[in-house]
Amino acid sequence: IYLNVFTRPIRLLTKMATTIAHGQYDKRINIYSNDEIGQLGKAFNLMTGRLQETIRDLSDKKNKLISVLTSM
């Protein structure tokens, strides 16, 4: 049981990181502590949010470029 206290949060982080890596950028990690694992979870959430913003920005720019090229 003691080992599970340490491995469970790491397994959950790994699972969520895999989910995010497969393109589900709207997912966030639930944070239950302020220790190193909690800080890692916060970093994942920050990274995912910024990645989601970057992808949205690139998509907007792509759509504008398509509009400009189509109107030429």
Side-chain angles (χ1 to χ4, degrees), residues 15-46:
K15 181 180 178 183
M16 190 58 68
T18 303
T19 300
I20 293 166
H22 284 101
Q24 295 185 17
Y25 306 114
D26 60 330
K27 301 293 183 185
R28 297 294 183 270
I29 295 171
N30 295 324
I31 299 166
Y32 300 106
S33 67
N34 286 324
D35 61 2
E36 290 83 1
I37 298 296
Q39 291 174 6
L40 182 59
K42 287 178 187 177
F44 265 99
N45 289 341
L46 179 63

Side-chain angles (χ1 to χ4, degrees), residues 13 17 29 62-63 70:
L13 281 170
I29 295 171
K62 176 186 166 192
N63 290 336
T70 301

Side-chain angles (χ1 to χ4, degrees), residues 23 25 50-60:
Y25 306 114
R50 289 191 176 166
L51 186 57
Q52 193 173 21
E53 288 173 20
T54 301
I55 290 171
R56 191 176 357 198
D57 185 49
L58 287 171
S59 180
D60 289 344

